[in-house]
Amino acid sequence: MKSVNASVDEKRLWDDLMALASFGAREDGGVCRHALSREDIASREWLIGKARERGYRIAADSAANLFLTRFGCDNDLPPVLAGSHMDSQPAGGKFDGAYGVLAAFEALRALDDAGLETARPVTAVAWTNEEGGRFHIPCTGSRAFVSGKVPEPDQTDEEGVTLADALKRTLDAAPDVERIAPGFPVHAYVEPHIEQGPVLEAEGLPIGVVTGIQGVRWFNVTVTGEPGHAGTVPHAIRRDAFQATLRAVSALSTLMEDPDDVVRFTVGHVSVVPNSPNTIPSSVRFSIDFRHPERGVLDARAARIADLIAREVRPCTAEVAMTTSMQPVVFPDQITGAIAKAADTEGLKHRALASGAFHDAAHIASVCPSGMIFIPCRGGLSHHPDEWATPEHCAAGARVLAGALAQLAA
Amino acid sequence: MKSVNASVDEKRLWDDLMALASFGAREDGGVCRHALSREDIASREWLIGKARERGYRIAADSAANLFLTRFGCDNDLPPVLAGSHMDSQPAGGKFDGAYGVLAAFEALRALDDAGLETARPVTAVAWTNEEGGRFHIPCTGSRAFVSGKVPEPDQTDEEGVTLADALKRTLDAAPDVERIAPGFPVHAYVEPHIEQGPVLEAEGLPIGVVTGIQGVRWFNVTVTGEPGHAGTVPHAIRRDAFQATLRAVSALSTLMEDPDDVVRFTVGHVSVVPNSPNTIPSSVRFSIDFRHPERGVLDARAARIADLIAREVRPCTAEVAMTTSMQPVVFPDQITGAIAKAADTEGLKHRALASGAFHDAAHIASVCPSGMIFIPCRGGLSHHPDEWATPEHCAAGARVLAGALAQLAA
């Protein structure tokens, strides 16, 4: 009989990745699979079908997090979890999130195929709405798992659909799936993911053992001015919400300047009302994404944002709301050690590195020992249709995961 | 028998204005009636029904311009036209455009009620898509009338519907309306409109005799950068299309500075792709609306726009396309004189003033003697749900129009 690691099937995993990418496929080769969308629901059905073939326990909680469990010898023991998310950015790629879920599913099958019995159950998980693209609260699913309730169920997408309704629709589409309460005890959590940065590729390493995740603050800003006719209203009396936004974002960019280029500051979402060429904008809503590995830097600069915006938008007014605050996370040696050991066993070179992006693991880390496995991605590119990882690297990550899960669940 | 002027019915006109405002009524009291929309089609049916009751000739051309004609003694003579447009801004009011069409229709009824026979036919006209809110080419209808063909029929709205299809749908909805070719000979054109500026209200005058219209240049700009993950991509290698837009619009604002506050410069439409909080924007499309009464100023500053943008957006790239160029227009004494005389006859105080907004009259002025009548609007406000004119001022404008039409068609 083959070892667990050797039972990882590179072609099977790759075929699954390509199959999952067909749900919400974009013409440019990318993927647009918003959380709880028709495409997301169809991709869940596809994965549930594969889990059913294997005889796994299939369950979902009120946040529509999907749990596929391979039974252990003692199913009263808290399981070892592995996985990621299946939703994508609007112009996303085939690997961000999807790889983690399918690598975990492949690890379960490798445990089967190797005939390995584990003491603990091992569960592949797909967390809901990690990207926050449709409902602007990222990691909805892993947050719900940690807190025991869905955050902001009344929030709406651009079409006015509430999160609660979208969750109901998704759960109703899979009536045969067992319903469980969110937030059960977990022994350990491992999340495989593409690096979304350039380090592993540049150093020619197949595996990154992730030491932690930088912290993040998200803000929604609404600037309110006064509409008017573009041809008649004198500039002296205008309250143009877009010009005010321009001043505010310009000042924020100065606040966020960093000679070491460690601060990450992005205004990614901007919507202008009424958005007509010959009407002075009456309001603008924009997002702020601000990240840094040190809590002190995050707190100090975040504290200055609201006052700075209020000053810059005059004579307009602004409302500034912090929607997300995640402290930097450090993963424990128990998990990083298991991952490093699994990679060593496989003869795969690896290095320690921190995550620039945040992940569901940042939330789950608050309820159990957690960690992440990175594989290289081409050009460090992600959140992009051209996002790419090789079949070899995908399989290597799944082998390291399978080895780590075998240790943690033994 | 009453005079033509005295036959204008203030209540009838006001009731029509309120009825027309119900097509596309917004909850905030404003109107959203996009050109060729379901609401626009319904409002046309309503007006056609009223014209049919009066026995007017009802015709439409390929641009869906609607012509309601009261016959003269010699219907081979080119008619006198009066009117405006029925489409609104997305967050527009009850008067912009609508007032001009209904004042013209009221003037026709006043001619009827006064029993006045005119030598020439007199036609109330509703031009298509003046605002350019849905299809971003303003004055589609009056341009088509002047050139003999619909401009850019393949242009699409935000949902991918072509202008050609939207026109067909609108025309098909009124199969009984006579179809005529665009661009027949016209003797004179008068467009009544709210001022959309503060002058008449400030001076307590009911009537403005419009001397001309300032020139305008519209541009569409597309800035192209590179998407990427907001948490991982170092700022040193980013090509953030929104940050590039911010630099470009900031430099444009400096270019357009004017101590006399005569230049009008507005960025009213901005759309960001993919518009997700944690993805670096890959492209931004924005509009430029630039106006001035002097052609020299328009030409000199407009000529610098493309190079300035190209320089500021680096390392992104930009495409800059001028979509509209209208020279300043001066209305002839023949029309301003007829309007002033009609106001004097009514004992209505008036003054000469230029239009800050552009209008269909700017196009029609190239094919026949044209002019405009302004009435005051509250606070100079327009393109806004709170846009307002009083019943008295609306009727005063219609009386002056009726008097001017009687002179011009006699």
Side-chain angles (χ1 to χ4, degrees):
Chain A
M1 183 172 291
K2 289 199 287 187
S3 72
V4 172
N5 302 9
S7 298
V8 165
D9 185 329
E10 179 178 315
K11 181 175 183 304
R12 183 170 62 184
L13 173 58
W14 186 256
D15 289 346
D16 281 354
L17 280 161
M18 296 305 109
L20 179 51
S22 71
F23 297 96
R26 293 164 51 97
E27 288 189 0
D28 57 11
V31 173
C32 175
R33 192 167 55 238
H34 281 293
L36 311 174
S37 64
R38 202 162 37 204
E39 294 78 15
D40 186 20
I41 290 170
S43 71
R44 289 160 181 259
E45 282 176 7
W46 168 82
L47 185 59
I48 288 166
K50 299 177 86 70
R52 196 162 277 138
E53 288 170 16
R54 287 274 169 173
Y56 298 152
R57 178 187 175 198
I58 303 164
D61 63 18
S62 57
N65 294 316
L66 181 63
F67 302 95
L68 311 174
T69 299
R70 179 177 185 266
F71 295 104
C73 298
D74 182 352
N75 290 301
D76 290 335
L77 288 174
V80 177
L81 249 64
S84 189
H85 60 94
M86 305 222 289
D87 63 308
S88 81
Q89 289 287 321
K94 297 183 171 76
F95 299 89
D96 181 351
Y99 171 66
V101 175
L102 294 179
F105 190 71
E106 179 58 28
L108 262 57
R109 290 187 297 205
L111 292 170
D112 287 350
D113 297 352
L116 188 80
E117 292 193 353
T118 57
R120 298 175 179 279
V122 181
T123 300
V125 59
W127 305 110
T128 295
N129 192 36
E130 192 268 353
E131 296 290 3
R134 177 178 174 196
F135 297 100
H136 290 192
I137 306 269
C139 299
T140 300
S142 49
R143 279 166 197 262
F145 190 81
V146 168
S147 70
K149 63 183 189 358
V150 173
E152 303 189 27
D154 296 333
Q155 66 175 296
T156 53
D157 67 5
E158 303 258 313
E159 268 135 36
V161 178
T162 66
L163 173 58
D165 283 346
L167 286 169
K168 183 172 187 310
R169 212 169 296 171
T170 303
L171 290 166
D172 287 350
D176 295 341
V177 168
E178 181 183 356
R179 286 289 298 276
I180 58 175
F184 49 83
V186 177
H187 180 64
Y189 174 66
V190 183
E191 180 164 352
H193 210 282
I194 56 170
E195 181 196 337
Q196 305 183 267
V199 175
L200 295 177
E201 184 184 56
E203 301 186 5
L205 298 172
I207 297 293
V209 180
V210 183
T211 54
I213 301 179
Q214 69 182 350
V216 63
R217 302 283 184 275
W218 273 20
F219 298 85
N220 276 341
V221 183
T222 305
V223 178
T224 303
E226 177 73 20
H229 192 293
T232 61
V233 181
H235 284 248
I237 63 166
R238 290 189 178 198
R239 296 197 295 132
D240 181 324
F242 184 68
Q243 289 283 344
T245 296
L246 189 148
R247 294 191 299 274
V249 177
S250 192
L252 287 168
S253 302
T254 303
L255 171 67
M256 296 298 181
E257 272 174 8
D258 175 13
D260 298 328
D261 206 355
V262 177
V263 166
R264 299 284 171 264
F265 166 69
T266 307
V267 173
H269 180 94
V270 183
S271 68
V272 174
V273 174
N275 216 24
S276 179
N278 53 355
T279 302
I280 298 164
S282 57
S283 74
V284 175
R285 201 174 124 181
F286 69 92
S287 63
I288 296 171
D289 179 308
F290 165 41
R291 309 188 196 206
H292 198 273
E294 294 166 37
R295 180 166 179 173
V297 174
L298 285 169
D299 288 344
R301 298 203 191 188
R304 294 176 57 192
I305 287 176
D307 283 352
L308 181 149
I309 291 173
R311 192 170 61 237
E312 293 293 333
V313 301
R314 283 179 201 151
C316 295
T317 58
E319 284 179 43
V320 180
M322 187 164 74
T323 57
T324 293
S325 170
M326 286 172 54
Q327 304 306 352
V329 171
V330 177
F331 292 138
D333 294 343
Q334 177 194 352
I335 307 297
T336 55
I339 294 167
K341 187 176 162 192
D344 288 336
T345 303
E346 274 294 295
L348 290 165
K349 288 189 183 163
H350 56 90
R351 64 160 280 173
L353 83 176
S355 173
F358 62 81
H359 297 283
D360 292 304
H363 293 282
I364 304 305
S366 68
V367 296
C368 72
S370 299
M372 295 188 73
I373 300 166
F374 275 175
I375 62 169
C377 59
R378 190 172 62 194
L381 196 66
S382 73
H383 287 194
H384 191 289
D386 293 341
E387 179 183 279
W388 191 255
T390 66
E392 295 75 18
H393 287 148
C394 289
R399 280 198 289 274
V400 172
L401 175 66
L405 294 178
Q407 295 172 58
L408 293 165
Chain B
M1 181 173 291
K2 287 200 287 187
S3 71
V4 172
N5 302 9
S7 298
V8 164
D9 185 329
E10 179 179 314
K11 182 175 183 305
R12 182 170 62 184
L13 172 58
W14 187 256
D15 289 347
D16 281 355
L17 280 161
M18 296 305 109
L20 179 50
S22 71
F23 297 96
R26 293 164 50 99
E27 287 190 0
D28 57 12
V31 173
C32 175
R33 193 167 55 237
H34 282 293
L36 311 174
S37 65
R38 203 163 36 203
E39 294 78 16
D40 186 19
I41 290 171
S43 72
R44 288 159 182 260
E45 281 176 9
W46 168 82
L47 185 59
I48 288 166
K50 298 177 85 69
R52 197 162 278 137
E53 288 170 16
R54 288 273 168 172
Y56 299 152
R57 178 186 175 197
I58 303 165
D61 62 19
S62 57
N65 294 315
L66 182 62
F67 302 95
L68 312 173
T69 299
R70 178 176 186 266
F71 296 103
C73 298
D74 182 352
N75 290 302
D76 291 333
L77 287 174
V80 176
L81 247 65
S84 189
H85 60 93
M86 305 221 291
D87 63 308
S88 81
Q89 288 287 321
K94 298 182 171 76
F95 300 88
D96 181 353
Y99 171 66
V101 175
L102 294 179
F105 190 71
E106 179 59 27
L108 262 59
R109 291 187 295 204
L111 292 170
D112 287 350
D113 297 351
L116 189 80
E117 292 192 353
T118 56
R120 299 175 179 278
V122 181
T123 300
V125 58
W127 305 110
T128 295
N129 191 37
E130 192 268 352
E131 297 290 3
R134 177 179 174 195
F135 297 100
H136 289 193
I137 305 268
C139 299
T140 300
S142 49
R143 279 165 198 263
F145 190 83
V146 168
S147 70
K149 65 181 187 1
V150 173
E152 303 190 26
D154 297 333
Q155 65 175 296
T156 54
D157 67 6
E158 303 258 314
E159 268 135 38
V161 177
T162 66
L163 173 59
D165 282 347
L167 285 169
K168 183 171 185 311
R169 212 169 295 170
T170 302
L171 290 167
D172 287 352
D176 295 342
V177 168
E178 181 185 356
R179 288 290 297 276
I180 57 174
F184 49 81
V186 176
H187 179 64
Y189 174 64
V190 183
E191 180 164 352
H193 210 282
I194 56 170
E195 182 196 337
Q196 305 183 266
V199 175
L200 295 177
E201 183 184 57
E203 301 186 5
L205 298 171
I207 296 294
V209 180
V210 184
T211 55
I213 301 180
Q214 68 182 349
V216 62
R217 303 283 186 275
W218 273 21
F219 298 85
N220 276 340
V221 183
T222 304
V223 178
T224 303
E226 177 73 21
H229 193 291
T232 61
V233 181
H235 283 248
I237 63 167
R238 289 189 179 198
R239 296 198 294 132
D240 181 323
F242 184 67
Q243 289 282 344
T245 296
L246 189 148
R247 295 190 297 274
V249 177
S250 193
L252 287 169
S253 301
T254 303
L255 170 67
M256 296 298 180
E257 272 174 8
D258 175 13
D260 297 328
D261 207 357
V262 176
V263 166
R264 298 285 171 263
F265 166 69
T266 306
V267 173
H269 180 93
V270 183
S271 67
V272 174
V273 174
N275 217 23
S276 179
N278 53 354
T279 302
I280 299 164
S282 57
S283 74
V284 174
R285 200 172 124 184
F286 68 92
S287 64
I288 297 171
D289 178 307
F290 166 40
R291 310 187 196 206
H292 198 273
E294 294 167 37
R295 181 166 179 171
V297 174
L298 285 168
D299 288 345
R301 299 202 189 188
R304 294 177 58 193
I305 287 176
D307 283 353
L308 182 148
I309 290 174
R311 191 170 63 236
E312 293 293 333
V313 300
R314 283 177 200 152
C316 296
T317 57
E319 284 179 44
V320 180
M322 187 164 73
T323 56
T324 293
S325 170
M326 286 172 53
Q327 303 307 353
V329 171
V330 177
F331 292 137
D333 294 343
Q334 176 194 353
I335 307 296
T336 54
I339 294 167
K341 187 176 162 192
D344 287 337
T345 303
E346 274 295 296
L348 290 165
K349 288 189 183 165
H350 56 89
R351 63 160 280 172
L353 83 176
S355 173
F358 62 83
H359 297 283
D360 292 304
H363 293 282
I364 304 305
S366 68
V367 295
C368 71
S370 300
M372 294 189 72
I373 300 166
F374 275 175
I375 62 169
C377 58
R378 190 172 62 195
L381 196 67
S382 72
H383 288 194
H384 190 291
D386 293 341
E387 179 182 279
W388 192 255
T390 66
E392 295 74 20
H393 288 148
C394 290
R399 280 197 289 273
V400 172
L401 176 65
L405 293 178
Q407 294 173 59
L408 293 165

